[in-house]
Amino acid sequence: MSAVTVNFTLEKETKNSVRYKEVPEEGKAPVLGSIYVQKWYAGSSKNISLTIEKKD
């Protein structure tokens, strides 16, 4: 199993959610691109990170 932590920065706010854009590591392609997080959870966070673990 391998895990990777992906960093995101605020891209846009919608009515009920916040869109975050992935900040890829230099020289690497994005893993997820953009994600939506509900406003009740995101609050006023400008940056978030997400850890993804692959299971075989």
Side-chain angles (χ1 to χ4, degrees), residues 32-54:
L32 293 172
S34 295
I35 62 170
Y36 286 86
V37 178
Q38 296 301 304
K39 278 188 178 177
W40 67 263
Y41 184 79
S44 61
S45 297
K46 301 288 183 206
N47 299 294
I48 62 169
S49 63
L50 179 66
T51 302
I52 304 168
E53 183 176 342
K54 285 194 312 187

mmCIF file with all atom_site columns, all heavy atoms in Angstrom, residues 32-54:
data_model
loop_
_atom_site.group_PDB
_atom_site.id
_atom_site.type_symbol
_atom_site.label_atom_id
_atom_site.label_alt_id
_atom_site.label_comp_id
_atom_site.label_asym_id
_atom_site.label_entity_id
_atom_site.label_seq_id
_atom_site.pdbx_PDB_ins_code
_atom_site.Cartn_x
_atom_site.Cartn_y
_atom_site.Cartn_z
_atom_site.occupancy
_atom_site.B_iso_or_equiv
_atom_site.pdbx_formal_charge
_atom_site.auth_seq_id
_atom_site.auth_comp_id
_atom_site.auth_asym_id
_atom_site.auth_atom_id
_atom_site.pdbx_PDB_model_num
ATOM 1   N N   . LEU A 1 32 ? -5.535  14.516 -8.738  1.00 0.00 ? 32 LEU A N   1
ATOM 2   C CA  . LEU A 1 32 ? -6.989  14.683 -8.707  1.00 0.00 ? 32 LEU A CA  1
ATOM 3   C C   . LEU A 1 32 ? -7.498  15.884 -9.495  1.00 0.00 ? 32 LEU A C   1
ATOM 4   O O   . LEU A 1 32 ? -8.639  15.895 -9.921  1.00 0.00 ? 32 LEU A O   1
ATOM 5   C CB  . LEU A 1 32 ? -7.470  14.833 -7.258  1.00 0.00 ? 32 LEU A CB  1
ATOM 6   C CG  . LEU A 1 32 ? -7.320  13.604 -6.374  1.00 0.00 ? 32 LEU A CG  1
ATOM 7   C CD1 . LEU A 1 32 ? -7.648  13.949 -4.934  1.00 0.00 ? 32 LEU A CD1 1
ATOM 8   C CD2 . LEU A 1 32 ? -8.207  12.499 -6.867  1.00 0.00 ? 32 LEU A CD2 1
ATOM 9   N N   . GLY A 1 33 ? -6.719  16.917 -9.624  1.00 0.00 ? 33 GLY A N   1
ATOM 10  C CA  . GLY A 1 33 ? -7.189  18.130 -10.311 1.00 0.00 ? 33 GLY A CA  1
ATOM 11  C C   . GLY A 1 33 ? -7.903  19.043 -9.341  1.00 0.00 ? 33 GLY A C   1
ATOM 12  O O   . GLY A 1 33 ? -7.291  19.624 -8.465  1.00 0.00 ? 33 GLY A O   1
ATOM 13  N N   . SER A 1 34 ? -9.218  19.134 -9.472  1.00 0.00 ? 34 SER A N   1
ATOM 14  C CA  . SER A 1 34 ? -10.025 19.967 -8.578  1.00 0.00 ? 34 SER A CA  1
ATOM 15  C C   . SER A 1 34 ? -10.985 19.098 -7.779  1.00 0.00 ? 34 SER A C   1
ATOM 16  O O   . SER A 1 34 ? -11.431 18.059 -8.248  1.00 0.00 ? 34 SER A O   1
ATOM 17  C CB  . SER A 1 34 ? -10.835 20.989 -9.383  1.00 0.00 ? 34 SER A CB  1
ATOM 18  O OG  . SER A 1 34 ? -9.979  21.901 -10.024 1.00 0.00 ? 34 SER A OG  1
ATOM 19  N N   . ILE A 1 35 ? -11.289 19.554 -6.559  1.00 0.00 ? 35 ILE A N   1
ATOM 20  C CA  . ILE A 1 35 ? -12.267 18.858 -5.723  1.00 0.00 ? 35 ILE A CA  1
ATOM 21  C C   . ILE A 1 35 ? -13.215 19.883 -5.114  1.00 0.00 ? 35 ILE A C   1
ATOM 22  O O   . ILE A 1 35 ? -12.878 21.058 -4.973  1.00 0.00 ? 35 ILE A O   1
ATOM 23  C CB  . ILE A 1 35 ? -11.615 18.034 -4.598  1.00 0.00 ? 35 ILE A CB  1
ATOM 24  C CG1 . ILE A 1 35 ? -10.820 18.932 -3.642  1.00 0.00 ? 35 ILE A CG1 1
ATOM 25  C CG2 . ILE A 1 35 ? -10.745 16.930 -5.163  1.00 0.00 ? 35 ILE A CG2 1
ATOM 26  C CD1 . ILE A 1 35 ? -10.358 18.235 -2.385  1.00 0.00 ? 35 ILE A CD1 1
ATOM 27  N N   . TYR A 1 36 ? -14.415 19.442 -4.790  1.00 0.00 ? 36 TYR A N   1
ATOM 28  C CA  . TYR A 1 36 ? -15.402 20.274 -4.109  1.00 0.00 ? 36 TYR A CA  1
ATOM 29  C C   . TYR A 1 36 ? -15.542 19.798 -2.672  1.00 0.00 ? 36 TYR A C   1
ATOM 30  O O   . TYR A 1 36 ? -15.627 18.593 -2.421  1.00 0.00 ? 36 TYR A O   1
ATOM 31  C CB  . TYR A 1 36 ? -16.763 20.175 -4.800  1.00 0.00 ? 36 TYR A CB  1
ATOM 32  C CG  . TYR A 1 36 ? -16.838 20.925 -6.104  1.00 0.00 ? 36 TYR A CG  1
ATOM 33  C CD1 . TYR A 1 36 ? -16.425 20.334 -7.293  1.00 0.00 ? 36 TYR A CD1 1
ATOM 34  C CD2 . TYR A 1 36 ? -17.315 22.228 -6.144  1.00 0.00 ? 36 TYR A CD2 1
ATOM 35  C CE1 . TYR A 1 36 ? -16.488 21.016 -8.491  1.00 0.00 ? 36 TYR A CE1 1
ATOM 36  C CE2 . TYR A 1 36 ? -17.385 22.927 -7.344  1.00 0.00 ? 36 TYR A CE2 1
ATOM 37  C CZ  . TYR A 1 36 ? -16.966 22.314 -8.506  1.00 0.00 ? 36 TYR A CZ  1
ATOM 38  O OH  . TYR A 1 36 ? -17.034 23.003 -9.686  1.00 0.00 ? 36 TYR A OH  1
ATOM 39  N N   . VAL A 1 37 ? -15.553 20.761 -1.741  1.00 0.00 ? 37 VAL A N   1
ATOM 40  C CA  . VAL A 1 37 ? -15.742 20.471 -0.320  1.00 0.00 ? 37 VAL A CA  1
ATOM 41  C C   . VAL A 1 37 ? -16.907 21.321 0.164   1.00 0.00 ? 37 VAL A C   1
ATOM 42  O O   . VAL A 1 37 ? -17.001 22.504 -0.180  1.00 0.00 ? 37 VAL A O   1
ATOM 43  C CB  . VAL A 1 37 ? -14.462 20.807 0.480   1.00 0.00 ? 37 VAL A CB  1
ATOM 44  C CG1 . VAL A 1 37 ? -14.661 20.548 1.965   1.00 0.00 ? 37 VAL A CG1 1
ATOM 45  C CG2 . VAL A 1 37 ? -13.270 20.012 -0.051  1.00 0.00 ? 37 VAL A CG2 1
ATOM 46  N N   . GLN A 1 38 ? -17.794 20.740 0.930   1.00 0.00 ? 38 GLN A N   1
ATOM 47  C CA  . GLN A 1 38 ? -18.949 21.477 1.441   1.00 0.00 ? 38 GLN A CA  1
ATOM 48  C C   . GLN A 1 38 ? -18.497 22.619 2.352   1.00 0.00 ? 38 GLN A C   1
ATOM 49  O O   . GLN A 1 38 ? -17.533 22.474 3.116   1.00 0.00 ? 38 GLN A O   1
ATOM 50  C CB  . GLN A 1 38 ? -19.889 20.531 2.200   1.00 0.00 ? 38 GLN A CB  1
ATOM 51  C CG  . GLN A 1 38 ? -20.492 19.456 1.317   1.00 0.00 ? 38 GLN A CG  1
ATOM 52  C CD  . GLN A 1 38 ? -21.294 20.057 0.177   1.00 0.00 ? 38 GLN A CD  1
ATOM 53  O OE1 . GLN A 1 38 ? -22.210 20.842 0.378   1.00 0.00 ? 38 GLN A OE1 1
ATOM 54  N NE2 . GLN A 1 38 ? -20.943 19.674 -1.040  1.00 0.00 ? 38 GLN A NE2 1
ATOM 55  N N   . LYS A 1 39 ? -19.187 23.761 2.257   1.00 0.00 ? 39 LYS A N   1
ATOM 56  C CA  . LYS A 1 39 ? -18.809 24.953 3.027   1.00 0.00 ? 39 LYS A CA  1
ATOM 57  C C   . LYS A 1 39 ? -18.847 24.723 4.526   1.00 0.00 ? 39 LYS A C   1
ATOM 58  O O   . LYS A 1 39 ? -18.031 25.269 5.257   1.00 0.00 ? 39 LYS A O   1
ATOM 59  C CB  . LYS A 1 39 ? -19.718 26.135 2.674   1.00 0.00 ? 39 LYS A CB  1
ATOM 60  C CG  . LYS A 1 39 ? -19.297 26.849 1.430   1.00 0.00 ? 39 LYS A CG  1
ATOM 61  C CD  . LYS A 1 39 ? -20.104 28.111 1.245   1.00 0.00 ? 39 LYS A CD  1
ATOM 62  C CE  . LYS A 1 39 ? -19.652 28.850 0.006   1.00 0.00 ? 39 LYS A CE  1
ATOM 63  N NZ  . LYS A 1 39 ? -20.449 30.047 -0.240  1.00 0.00 ? 39 LYS A NZ  1
ATOM 64  N N   . TRP A 1 40 ? -19.788 23.887 4.997   1.00 0.00 ? 40 TRP A N   1
ATOM 65  C CA  . TRP A 1 40 ? -19.881 23.672 6.444   1.00 0.00 ? 40 TRP A CA  1
ATOM 66  C C   . TRP A 1 40 ? -18.595 23.055 6.977   1.00 0.00 ? 40 TRP A C   1
ATOM 67  O O   . TRP A 1 40 ? -18.230 23.256 8.125   1.00 0.00 ? 40 TRP A O   1
ATOM 68  C CB  . TRP A 1 40 ? -21.090 22.804 6.817   1.00 0.00 ? 40 TRP A CB  1
ATOM 69  C CG  . TRP A 1 40 ? -21.028 21.380 6.356   1.00 0.00 ? 40 TRP A CG  1
ATOM 70  C CD1 . TRP A 1 40 ? -21.590 20.857 5.229   1.00 0.00 ? 40 TRP A CD1 1
ATOM 71  C CD2 . TRP A 1 40 ? -20.368 20.285 7.008   1.00 0.00 ? 40 TRP A CD2 1
ATOM 72  N NE1 . TRP A 1 40 ? -21.314 19.507 5.133   1.00 0.00 ? 40 TRP A NE1 1
ATOM 73  C CE2 . TRP A 1 40 ? -20.562 19.128 6.226   1.00 0.00 ? 40 TRP A CE2 1
ATOM 74  C CE3 . TRP A 1 40 ? -19.629 20.161 8.182   1.00 0.00 ? 40 TRP A CE3 1
ATOM 75  C CZ2 . TRP A 1 40 ? -20.052 17.885 6.568   1.00 0.00 ? 40 TRP A CZ2 1
ATOM 76  C CZ3 . TRP A 1 40 ? -19.121 18.920 8.513   1.00 0.00 ? 40 TRP A CZ3 1
ATOM 77  C CH2 . TRP A 1 40 ? -19.338 17.797 7.720   1.00 0.00 ? 40 TRP A CH2 1
ATOM 78  N N   . TYR A 1 41 ? -17.867 22.317 6.137   1.00 0.00 ? 41 TYR A N   1
ATOM 79  C CA  . TYR A 1 41 ? -16.608 21.707 6.562   1.00 0.00 ? 41 TYR A CA  1
ATOM 80  C C   . TYR A 1 41 ? -15.411 22.592 6.212   1.00 0.00 ? 41 TYR A C   1
ATOM 81  O O   . TYR A 1 41 ? -14.511 22.768 7.031   1.00 0.00 ? 41 TYR A O   1
ATOM 82  C CB  . TYR A 1 41 ? -16.420 20.330 5.932   1.00 0.00 ? 41 TYR A CB  1
ATOM 83  C CG  . TYR A 1 41 ? -15.163 19.656 6.436   1.00 0.00 ? 41 TYR A CG  1
ATOM 84  C CD1 . TYR A 1 41 ? -15.152 19.038 7.668   1.00 0.00 ? 41 TYR A CD1 1
ATOM 85  C CD2 . TYR A 1 41 ? -13.987 19.689 5.695   1.00 0.00 ? 41 TYR A CD2 1
ATOM 86  C CE1 . TYR A 1 41 ? -13.998 18.455 8.162   1.00 0.00 ? 41 TYR A CE1 1
ATOM 87  C CE2 . TYR A 1 41 ? -12.834 19.108 6.173   1.00 0.00 ? 41 TYR A CE2 1
ATOM 88  C CZ  . TYR A 1 41 ? -12.834 18.494 7.409   1.00 0.00 ? 41 TYR A CZ  1
ATOM 89  O OH  . TYR A 1 41 ? -11.685 17.932 7.884   1.00 0.00 ? 41 TYR A OH  1
ATOM 90  N N   . ALA A 1 42 ? -15.397 23.141 5.033   1.00 0.00 ? 42 ALA A N   1
ATOM 91  C CA  . ALA A 1 42 ? -14.252 23.927 4.556   1.00 0.00 ? 42 ALA A CA  1
ATOM 92  C C   . ALA A 1 42 ? -14.070 25.217 5.344   1.00 0.00 ? 42 ALA A C   1
ATOM 93  O O   . ALA A 1 42 ? -12.944 25.655 5.566   1.00 0.00 ? 42 ALA A O   1
ATOM 94  C CB  . ALA A 1 42 ? -14.412 24.240 3.072   1.00 0.00 ? 42 ALA A CB  1
ATOM 95  N N   . GLY A 1 43 ? -15.187 25.822 5.771   1.00 0.00 ? 43 GLY A N   1
ATOM 96  C CA  . GLY A 1 43 ? -15.089 27.090 6.496   1.00 0.00 ? 43 GLY A CA  1
ATOM 97  C C   . GLY A 1 43 ? -14.372 28.132 5.662   1.00 0.00 ? 43 GLY A C   1
ATOM 98  O O   . GLY A 1 43 ? -14.663 28.305 4.481   1.00 0.00 ? 43 GLY A O   1
ATOM 99  N N   . SER A 1 44 ? -13.396 28.784 6.251   1.00 0.00 ? 44 SER A N   1
ATOM 100 C CA  . SER A 1 44 ? -12.661 29.835 5.542   1.00 0.00 ? 44 SER A CA  1
ATOM 101 C C   . SER A 1 44 ? -11.249 29.387 5.154   1.00 0.00 ? 44 SER A C   1
ATOM 102 O O   . SER A 1 44 ? -10.381 30.221 4.908   1.00 0.00 ? 44 SER A O   1
ATOM 103 C CB  . SER A 1 44 ? -12.589 31.090 6.408   1.00 0.00 ? 44 SER A CB  1
ATOM 104 O OG  . SER A 1 44 ? -11.910 30.800 7.621   1.00 0.00 ? 44 SER A OG  1
ATOM 105 N N   . SER A 1 45 ? -11.029 28.077 5.087   1.00 0.00 ? 45 SER A N   1
ATOM 106 C CA  . SER A 1 45 ? -9.697  27.550 4.757   1.00 0.00 ? 45 SER A CA  1
ATOM 107 C C   . SER A 1 45 ? -9.305  27.900 3.328   1.00 0.00 ? 45 SER A C   1
ATOM 108 O O   . SER A 1 45 ? -10.060 27.643 2.393   1.00 0.00 ? 45 SER A O   1
ATOM 109 C CB  . SER A 1 45 ? -9.673  26.028 4.915   1.00 0.00 ? 45 SER A CB  1
ATOM 110 O OG  . SER A 1 45 ? -9.908  25.684 6.247   1.00 0.00 ? 45 SER A OG  1
ATOM 111 N N   . LYS A 1 46 ? -8.126  28.455 3.168   1.00 0.00 ? 46 LYS A N   1
ATOM 112 C CA  . LYS A 1 46 ? -7.604  28.790 1.839   1.00 0.00 ? 46 LYS A CA  1
ATOM 113 C C   . LYS A 1 46 ? -6.833  27.619 1.246   1.00 0.00 ? 46 LYS A C   1
ATOM 114 O O   . LYS A 1 46 ? -6.702  27.507 0.035   1.00 0.00 ? 46 LYS A O   1
ATOM 115 C CB  . LYS A 1 46 ? -6.682  30.007 1.913   1.00 0.00 ? 46 LYS A CB  1
ATOM 116 C CG  . LYS A 1 46 ? -7.355  31.244 2.469   1.00 0.00 ? 46 LYS A CG  1
ATOM 117 C CD  . LYS A 1 46 ? -8.339  31.819 1.504   1.00 0.00 ? 46 LYS A CD  1
ATOM 118 C CE  . LYS A 1 46 ? -8.938  33.090 2.071   1.00 0.00 ? 46 LYS A CE  1
ATOM 119 N NZ  . LYS A 1 46 ? -10.244 33.385 1.554   1.00 0.00 ? 46 LYS A NZ  1
ATOM 120 N N   . ASN A 1 47 ? -6.306  26.752 2.100   1.00 0.00 ? 47 ASN A N   1
ATOM 121 C CA  . ASN A 1 47 ? -5.523  25.602 1.661   1.00 0.00 ? 47 ASN A CA  1
ATOM 122 C C   . ASN A 1 47 ? -5.967  24.369 2.437   1.00 0.00 ? 47 ASN A C   1
ATOM 123 O O   . ASN A 1 47 ? -6.266  24.456 3.625   1.00 0.00 ? 47 ASN A O   1
ATOM 124 C CB  . ASN A 1 47 ? -4.027  25.824 1.905   1.00 0.00 ? 47 ASN A CB  1
ATOM 125 C CG  . ASN A 1 47 ? -3.513  27.015 1.146   1.00 0.00 ? 47 ASN A CG  1
ATOM 126 O OD1 . ASN A 1 47 ? -3.486  27.009 -0.065  1.00 0.00 ? 47 ASN A OD1 1
ATOM 127 N ND2 . ASN A 1 47 ? -3.115  28.047 1.864   1.00 0.00 ? 47 ASN A ND2 1
ATOM 128 N N   . ILE A 1 48 ? -5.997  23.230 1.751   1.00 0.00 ? 48 ILE A N   1
ATOM 129 C CA  . ILE A 1 48 ? -6.298  21.954 2.403   1.00 0.00 ? 48 ILE A CA  1
ATOM 130 C C   . ILE A 1 48 ? -5.368  20.895 1.843   1.00 0.00 ? 48 ILE A C   1
ATOM 131 O O   . ILE A 1 48 ? -4.752  21.091 0.786   1.00 0.00 ? 48 ILE A O   1
ATOM 132 C CB  . ILE A 1 48 ? -7.770  21.527 2.203   1.00 0.00 ? 48 ILE A CB  1
ATOM 133 C CG1 . ILE A 1 48 ? -8.096  21.314 0.726   1.00 0.00 ? 48 ILE A CG1 1
ATOM 134 C CG2 . ILE A 1 48 ? -8.729  22.513 2.829   1.00 0.00 ? 48 ILE A CG2 1
ATOM 135 C CD1 . ILE A 1 48 ? -9.434  20.658 0.490   1.00 0.00 ? 48 ILE A CD1 1
ATOM 136 N N   . SER A 1 49 ? -5.249  19.790 2.545   1.00 0.00 ? 49 SER A N   1
ATOM 137 C CA  . SER A 1 49 ? -4.490  18.661 2.031   1.00 0.00 ? 49 SER A CA  1
ATOM 138 C C   . SER A 1 49 ? -5.312  17.400 2.237   1.00 0.00 ? 49 SER A C   1
ATOM 139 O O   . SER A 1 49 ? -6.128  17.307 3.151   1.00 0.00 ? 49 SER A O   1
ATOM 140 C CB  . SER A 1 49 ? -3.122  18.544 2.703   1.00 0.00 ? 49 SER A CB  1
ATOM 141 O OG  . SER A 1 49 ? -3.271  18.306 4.078   1.00 0.00 ? 49 SER A OG  1
ATOM 142 N N   . LEU A 1 50 ? -5.081  16.446 1.362   1.00 0.00 ? 50 LEU A N   1
ATOM 143 C CA  . LEU A 1 50 ? -5.839  15.199 1.360   1.00 0.00 ? 50 LEU A CA  1
ATOM 144 C C   . LEU A 1 50 ? -4.839  14.064 1.179   1.00 0.00 ? 50 LEU A C   1
ATOM 145 O O   . LEU A 1 50 ? -4.001  14.110 0.296   1.00 0.00 ? 50 LEU A O   1
ATOM 146 C CB  . LEU A 1 50 ? -6.833  15.227 0.202   1.00 0.00 ? 50 LEU A CB  1
ATOM 147 C CG  . LEU A 1 50 ? -7.722  14.028 -0.014  1.00 0.00 ? 50 LEU A CG  1
ATOM 148 C CD1 . LEU A 1 50 ? -8.692  13.880 1.154   1.00 0.00 ? 50 LEU A CD1 1
ATOM 149 C CD2 . LEU A 1 50 ? -8.516  14.204 -1.294  1.00 0.00 ? 50 LEU A CD2 1
ATOM 150 N N   . THR A 1 51 ? -4.940  13.047 2.029   1.00 0.00 ? 51 THR A N   1
ATOM 151 C CA  . THR A 1 51 ? -4.064  11.884 1.909   1.00 0.00 ? 51 THR A CA  1
ATOM 152 C C   . THR A 1 51 ? -4.850  10.758 1.268   1.00 0.00 ? 51 THR A C   1
ATOM 153 O O   . THR A 1 51 ? -5.948  10.412 1.723   1.00 0.00 ? 51 THR A O   1
ATOM 154 C CB  . THR A 1 51 ? -3.527  11.455 3.284   1.00 0.00 ? 51 THR A CB  1
ATOM 155 O OG1 . THR A 1 51 ? -2.820  12.553 3.864   1.00 0.00 ? 51 THR A OG1 1
ATOM 156 C CG2 . THR A 1 51 ? -2.605  10.262 3.157   1.00 0.00 ? 51 THR A CG2 1
ATOM 157 N N   . ILE A 1 52 ? -4.283  10.196 0.205   1.00 0.00 ? 52 ILE A N   1
ATOM 158 C CA  . ILE A 1 52 ? -4.917  9.120  -0.543  1.00 0.00 ? 52 ILE A CA  1
ATOM 159 C C   . ILE A 1 52 ? -4.036  7.883  -0.412  1.00 0.00 ? 52 ILE A C   1
ATOM 160 O O   . ILE A 1 52 ? -2.826  7.944  -0.611  1.00 0.00 ? 52 ILE A O   1
ATOM 161 C CB  . ILE A 1 52 ? -5.059  9.484  -2.033  1.00 0.00 ? 52 ILE A CB  1
ATOM 162 C CG1 . ILE A 1 52 ? -5.817  10.778 -2.174  1.00 0.00 ? 52 ILE A CG1 1
ATOM 163 C CG2 . ILE A 1 52 ? -5.726  8.361  -2.796  1.00 0.00 ? 52 ILE A CG2 1
ATOM 164 C CD1 . ILE A 1 52 ? -5.756  11.350 -3.562  1.00 0.00 ? 52 ILE A CD1 1
ATOM 165 N N   . GLU A 1 53 ? -4.678  6.762  -0.102  1.00 0.00 ? 53 GLU A N   1
ATOM 166 C CA  . GLU A 1 53 ? -3.947  5.514  0.042   1.00 0.00 ? 53 GLU A CA  1
ATOM 167 C C   . GLU A 1 53 ? -4.466  4.498  -0.961  1.00 0.00 ? 53 GLU A C   1
ATOM 168 O O   . GLU A 1 53 ? -5.665  4.257  -1.041  1.00 0.00 ? 53 GLU A O   1
ATOM 169 C CB  . GLU A 1 53 ? -4.134  4.977  1.464   1.00 0.00 ? 53 GLU A CB  1
ATOM 170 C CG  . GLU A 1 53 ? -3.363  3.739  1.754   1.00 0.00 ? 53 GLU A CG  1
ATOM 171 C CD  . GLU A 1 53 ? -3.515  3.298  3.200   1.00 0.00 ? 53 GLU A CD  1
ATOM 172 O OE1 . GLU A 1 53 ? -3.930  4.100  4.036   1.00 0.00 ? 53 GLU A OE1 1
ATOM 173 O OE2 . GLU A 1 53 ? -3.237  2.122  3.457   1.00 0.00 ? 53 GLU A OE2 1
ATOM 174 N N   . LYS A 1 54 ? -3.552  3.932  -1.736  1.00 0.00 ? 54 LYS A N   1
ATOM 175 C CA  . LYS A 1 54 ? -3.913  2.881  -2.693  1.00 0.00 ? 54 LYS A CA  1
ATOM 176 C C   . LYS A 1 54 ? -3.891  1.547  -1.961  1.00 0.00 ? 54 LYS A C   1
ATOM 177 O O   . LYS A 1 54 ? -2.987  1.265  -1.193  1.00 0.00 ? 54 LYS A O   1
ATOM 178 C CB  . LYS A 1 54 ? -2.917  2.803  -3.848  1.00 0.00 ? 54 LYS A CB  1
ATOM 179 C CG  . LYS A 1 54 ? -3.036  3.889  -4.837  1.00 0.00 ? 54 LYS A CG  1
ATOM 180 C CD  . LYS A 1 54 ? -2.289  3.602  -6.119  1.00 0.00 ? 54 LYS A CD  1
ATOM 181 C CE  . LYS A 1 54 ? -0.884  3.125  -5.959  1.00 0.00 ? 54 LYS A CE  1
ATOM 182 N NZ  . LYS A 1 54 ? -0.151  3.007  -7.220  1.00 0.00 ? 54 LYS A NZ  1
#
